[in-house]
Every structure is written in C-alpha cells, then in structure tokens.
Amino acid sequence: MANQNFDLTGTLQVRAAEENDAEHLHTYCLADKTKKQVTEELAADLGDDSQHYRLVAEASGYAIGQIKVKKNPGDAEIGQIADLAVSGPFRQLGVADHLIKAAESTALESGMKTLEIEVAPTEGSVIQRYKDWGFAEKPIVILQKELKAEEADAETPADAPPDGEQQELLDQ
C-alpha cells in the first residue's frame, strides 16, 4: 500500500461543562481519578451555590480538555485557575491555549480582574507555559512547619513567655 496523506479538519468548541461530560473527562483527561470522583467534583462545580466555573474543550462530541476557574473566597476580583488538563493527542494542537482564553473571558464576565495559579517551583516547563500566556511570578513567601502529634499535646515549655509577652512579640 502506498503512503497516503489526508487533510483532517475538525471543530473545537470550548463551553461550560455539563454533568454528562464526566465520563469523557475521566477517560481522556483525568484518568488518575476514579469516575466517581470526577462525577462528584463536576456536580459540585456545577451546583447553584458554586463559585467555580468549569470549562470543557469538546472535539467531535468528546470532552478532551478542561479548566476550572474559581473565585478567591477572600477577594471576588481574583480568580484561581485549577485543573487544566488536555488529552495527550490534543496537547500539540493548542487546546490549552483556547481553554486559557475562555477562562480569561469567563473570569472577566464574572467580575474577576486577576487570574492566579499556584505551581510548584520544580515545575519549570509548566511555569514557562503560563508565562507564555501572560502570567507573571508573584513574590510570595510560604512558611511551613510540620507538626507531630506529641508536639500538639505537649505542655507549654517552662521557658515560654507568658501570654501577654507572646502577644507583645506578635505585635512587634
């Protein structure tokens, strides 16, 4: 058989997610979660009191990508992007670009003026991709302390300052 070339065309639609998208999202985008988890999370995002907007990229009737925009509980003008996922075969076709643009439009229509995403510093290629989309790094310091059960139950050390002194130290 001789090699043959075919021109394939298709339409990509980015739209609001629907409950019946759960099966395709599980199959093509979120295989690391159970179908039940995907279905429950999607239902919660679509609930009447939800501050989440889930968008789906659809090709030929299949949900092959998704993104979530959620309002920051402390500041409704800030939206947080989460769960951007695109099925492997579609990643090189710019589907994520379309999902980001749709997320930006949805955020603006919902009164948000800023979009954020938290990314681990070790995710260099992901950080670069978001920079390509116009995101900038925000200087922030995260402090963390791991607690052990015995520390939480321990008495206050004898050399700890009295409560009044603790408050003065915090106020400084």
Side-chain angles (χ1 to χ4, degrees):
M1 178 170 163
N3 289 340
Q4 297 179 18
N5 293 327
F6 298 94
D7 288 325
L8 298 175
T9 60
T11 302
L12 178 74
Q13 177 187 19
V14 178
R15 58 169 174 76
E18 301 169 354
E19 283 190 41
N20 61 356
D21 290 323
E23 183 175 348
H24 291 152
L25 288 173
H26 172 254
T27 302
Y28 300 114
C29 303
L30 305 169
D32 58 326
K33 296 182 178 186
T34 66
K35 185 176 176 184
K36 181 179 179 185
Q37 286 174 312
V38 173
T39 302
E40 288 173 355
E41 289 173 8
L42 183 57
D45 289 347
L46 299 177
D48 290 337
D49 59 344
S50 175
Q51 293 293 305
H52 297 179
Y53 303 89
R54 177 99 60 120
L55 304 173
V56 167
E58 178 185 296
S60 300
Y62 296 91
I64 51 92
Q66 70 146 34
I67 192 168
K68 185 187 302 187
V69 178
K70 50 187 177 178
K71 285 189 177 182
N72 182 315
D75 186 346
E77 291 186 351
I78 297 176
Q80 297 168 323
I81 290 180
D83 300 334
L84 174 59
V86 176
S87 179
F90 296 91
R91 291 182 185 151
Q92 299 302 314
L93 301 176
V95 173
D97 297 335
H98 294 292
L99 285 165
I100 288 290
K101 286 179 188 174
E104 291 171 358
S105 295
T106 298
L108 280 170
E109 291 170 8
S110 303
M112 296 175 234
K113 296 181 180 178
T114 304
L115 282 179
E116 300 179 325
I117 182 162
E118 289 185 28
V119 181
T122 57
E123 297 287 339
S125 60
V126 174
I127 292 169
Q128 185 56 52
R129 192 68 183 116
Y130 277 97
K131 285 181 177 181
D132 293 344
W133 286 320
F135 287 75
E137 287 186 56
K138 181 174 149 181
I140 186 167
V141 175
I142 297 175
L143 303 172
Q144 182 179 36
K145 178 181 178 182
E146 290 189 34
L147 301 176
K148 296 179 180 136
E150 59 271 4
E151 286 179 9
D153 295 334
E155 296 283 327
T156 303
D159 60 345
D163 287 340
E165 286 182 48
Q166 284 180 354
Q167 187 59 48
E168 286 177 30
L169 289 173
L170 289 172
D171 291 340
Q172 292 178 355

